PDB file of all heavy atoms in Angstrom:
ATOM      1  N   MET A 181      14.256  -2.896   4.834  1.00 95.00           N
ATOM      2  CA  MET A 181      13.101  -3.231   5.672  1.00 95.00           C
ATOM      3  C   MET A 181      13.284  -2.663   7.076  1.00 95.00           C
ATOM      4  O   MET A 181      14.338  -2.858   7.693  1.00 95.00           O
ATOM      5  CB  MET A 181      12.951  -4.748   5.756  1.00 95.00           C
ATOM      6  CG  MET A 181      11.764  -5.203   6.565  1.00 95.00           C
ATOM      7  SD  MET A 181      10.224  -5.020   5.677  1.00 95.00           S
ATOM      8  CE  MET A 181      10.376  -6.344   4.472  1.00 95.00           C
ATOM      9  N   GLN A 182      12.284  -1.948   7.569  1.00 95.00           N
ATOM     10  CA  GLN A 182      12.340  -1.347   8.897  1.00 95.00           C
ATOM     11  C   GLN A 182      11.141  -1.811   9.720  1.00 95.00           C
ATOM     12  O   GLN A 182       9.995  -1.693   9.273  1.00 95.00           O
ATOM     13  CB  GLN A 182      12.317   0.183   8.792  1.00 95.00           C
ATOM     14  CG  GLN A 182      13.532   0.786   8.114  1.00 95.00           C
ATOM     15  CD  GLN A 182      14.776   0.678   8.964  1.00 95.00           C
ATOM     16  OE1 GLN A 182      14.733   0.869  10.185  1.00 95.00           O
ATOM     17  NE2 GLN A 182      15.902   0.375   8.334  1.00 95.00           N
ATOM     18  N   PRO A 183      11.381  -2.343  10.921  1.00 94.00           N
ATOM     19  CA  PRO A 183      10.257  -2.738  11.770  1.00 94.00           C
ATOM     20  C   PRO A 183       9.379  -1.549  12.147  1.00 94.00           C
ATOM     21  O   PRO A 183       8.197  -1.709  12.428  1.00 94.00           O
ATOM     22  CB  PRO A 183      10.933  -3.356  12.996  1.00 94.00           C
ATOM     23  CG  PRO A 183      12.315  -2.797  13.009  1.00 94.00           C
ATOM     24  CD  PRO A 183      12.688  -2.597  11.569  1.00 94.00           C
ATOM     25  N   ASN A 184       9.979  -0.365  12.140  1.00 96.00           N
ATOM     26  CA  ASN A 184       9.233   0.861  12.431  1.00 96.00           C
ATOM     27  C   ASN A 184       9.590   1.910  11.377  1.00 96.00           C
ATOM     28  O   ASN A 184      10.590   2.611  11.504  1.00 96.00           O
ATOM     29  CB  ASN A 184       9.575   1.367  13.832  1.00 96.00           C
ATOM     30  CG  ASN A 184       8.871   2.676  14.159  1.00 96.00           C
ATOM     31  OD1 ASN A 184       7.982   3.118  13.440  1.00 96.00           O
ATOM     32  ND2 ASN A 184       9.277   3.318  15.241  1.00 96.00           N
ATOM     33  N   PRO A 185       8.764   2.057  10.347  1.00 96.00           N
ATOM     34  CA  PRO A 185       9.065   3.030   9.295  1.00 96.00           C
ATOM     35  C   PRO A 185       8.626   4.448   9.620  1.00 96.00           C
ATOM     36  O   PRO A 185       8.962   5.393   8.902  1.00 96.00           O
ATOM     37  CB  PRO A 185       8.249   2.498   8.108  1.00 96.00           C
ATOM     38  CG  PRO A 185       7.057   1.876   8.753  1.00 96.00           C
ATOM     39  CD  PRO A 185       7.554   1.271  10.049  1.00 96.00           C
ATOM     40  N   TYR A 186       7.877   4.615  10.715  1.00 97.00           N
ATOM     41  CA  TYR A 186       7.219   5.894  10.955  1.00 97.00           C
ATOM     42  C   TYR A 186       8.168   7.067  11.240  1.00 97.00           C
ATOM     43  O   TYR A 186       7.846   8.199  10.871  1.00 97.00           O
ATOM     44  CB  TYR A 186       6.178   5.741  12.059  1.00 97.00           C
ATOM     45  CG  TYR A 186       5.145   4.701  11.713  1.00 97.00           C
ATOM     46  CD1 TYR A 186       5.016   3.529  12.456  1.00 97.00           C
ATOM     47  CD2 TYR A 186       4.325   4.853  10.598  1.00 97.00           C
ATOM     48  CE1 TYR A 186       4.089   2.557  12.113  1.00 97.00           C
ATOM     49  CE2 TYR A 186       3.393   3.891  10.247  1.00 97.00           C
ATOM     50  CZ  TYR A 186       3.284   2.739  11.006  1.00 97.00           C
ATOM     51  OH  TYR A 186       2.373   1.765  10.657  1.00 97.00           O
ATOM     52  N   PRO A 187       9.333   6.867  11.875  1.00 97.00           N
ATOM     53  CA  PRO A 187      10.246   8.007  12.015  1.00 97.00           C
ATOM     54  C   PRO A 187      10.686   8.586  10.673  1.00 97.00           C
ATOM     55  O   PRO A 187      10.907   9.797  10.571  1.00 97.00           O
ATOM     56  CB  PRO A 187      11.436   7.397  12.782  1.00 97.00           C
ATOM     57  CG  PRO A 187      10.833   6.291  13.583  1.00 97.00           C
ATOM     58  CD  PRO A 187       9.787   5.707  12.677  1.00 97.00           C
ATOM     59  N   TYR A 188      10.797   7.737   9.654  1.00 97.00           N
ATOM     60  CA  TYR A 188      11.165   8.235   8.329  1.00 97.00           C
ATOM     61  C   TYR A 188      10.021   9.037   7.720  1.00 97.00           C
ATOM     62  O   TYR A 188      10.253  10.031   7.007  1.00 97.00           O
ATOM     63  CB  TYR A 188      11.549   7.067   7.417  1.00 97.00           C
ATOM     64  CG  TYR A 188      12.831   6.402   7.828  1.00 97.00           C
ATOM     65  CD1 TYR A 188      12.830   5.271   8.660  1.00 97.00           C
ATOM     66  CD2 TYR A 188      14.064   6.898   7.416  1.00 97.00           C
ATOM     67  CE1 TYR A 188      14.005   4.670   9.054  1.00 97.00           C
ATOM     68  CE2 TYR A 188      15.253   6.294   7.807  1.00 97.00           C
ATOM     69  CZ  TYR A 188      15.218   5.183   8.626  1.00 97.00           C
ATOM     70  OH  TYR A 188      16.394   4.583   9.022  1.00 97.00           O
ATOM     71  N   MET A 189       8.797   8.612   7.979  1.00 97.00           N
ATOM     72  CA  MET A 189       7.644   9.407   7.541  1.00 97.00           C
ATOM     73  C   MET A 189       7.614  10.741   8.274  1.00 97.00           C
ATOM     74  O   MET A 189       7.372  11.793   7.676  1.00 97.00           O
ATOM     75  CB  MET A 189       6.345   8.650   7.814  1.00 97.00           C
ATOM     76  CG  MET A 189       6.046   7.522   6.852  1.00 97.00           C
ATOM     77  SD  MET A 189       4.386   6.865   7.200  1.00 97.00           S
ATOM     78  CE  MET A 189       4.213   5.684   5.861  1.00 97.00           C
ATOM     79  N   ALA A 190       7.850  10.684   9.586  1.00 97.00           N
ATOM     80  CA  ALA A 190       7.782  11.894  10.400  1.00 97.00           C
ATOM     81  C   ALA A 190       8.832  12.919   9.992  1.00 97.00           C
ATOM     82  O   ALA A 190       8.621  14.124  10.133  1.00 97.00           O
ATOM     83  CB  ALA A 190       7.945  11.533  11.884  1.00 97.00           C
ATOM     84  N   ALA A 191       9.966  12.440   9.473  1.00 96.00           N
ATOM     85  CA  ALA A 191      11.049  13.340   9.081  1.00 96.00           C
ATOM     86  C   ALA A 191      10.794  14.011   7.739  1.00 96.00           C
ATOM     87  O   ALA A 191      11.484  14.968   7.377  1.00 96.00           O
ATOM     88  CB  ALA A 191      12.369  12.565   9.020  1.00 96.00           C
ATOM     89  N   ALA A 192       9.812  13.522   6.996  1.00 97.00           N
ATOM     90  CA  ALA A 192       9.611  13.974   5.625  1.00 97.00           C
ATOM     91  C   ALA A 192       8.960  15.356   5.549  1.00 97.00           C
ATOM     92  O   ALA A 192       8.070  15.682   6.328  1.00 97.00           O
ATOM     93  CB  ALA A 192       8.741  12.961   4.874  1.00 97.00           C
ATOM     94  N   ASP A 193       9.417  16.142   4.575  1.00 97.00           N
ATOM     95  CA  ASP A 193       8.700  17.358   4.197  1.00 97.00           C
ATOM     96  C   ASP A 193       7.534  16.997   3.290  1.00 97.00           C
ATOM     97  O   ASP A 193       6.500  17.665   3.300  1.00 97.00           O
ATOM     98  CB  ASP A 193       9.646  18.328   3.484  1.00 97.00           C
ATOM     99  CG  ASP A 193      10.734  18.845   4.400  1.00 97.00           C
ATOM    100  OD1 ASP A 193      10.399  19.477   5.416  1.00 97.00           O
ATOM    101  OD2 ASP A 193      11.922  18.593   4.117  1.00 97.00           O
ATOM    102  N   VAL A 194       7.725  15.929   2.503  1.00 98.00           N
ATOM    103  CA  VAL A 194       6.667  15.420   1.626  1.00 98.00           C
ATOM    104  C   VAL A 194       6.759  13.900   1.595  1.00 98.00           C
ATOM    105  O   VAL A 194       7.865  13.342   1.508  1.00 98.00           O
ATOM    106  CB  VAL A 194       6.803  15.972   0.187  1.00 98.00           C
ATOM    107  CG1 VAL A 194       5.822  15.273  -0.762  1.00 98.00           C
ATOM    108  CG2 VAL A 194       6.541  17.467   0.156  1.00 98.00           C
TER     109      VAL A 194
END
Side-chain angles (χ1 to χ4, degrees):
M181 182 76 72
Q182 295 289 320
N184 177 11
Y186 302 115
Y188 291 94
M189 284 187 175
D193 294 300
V194 172

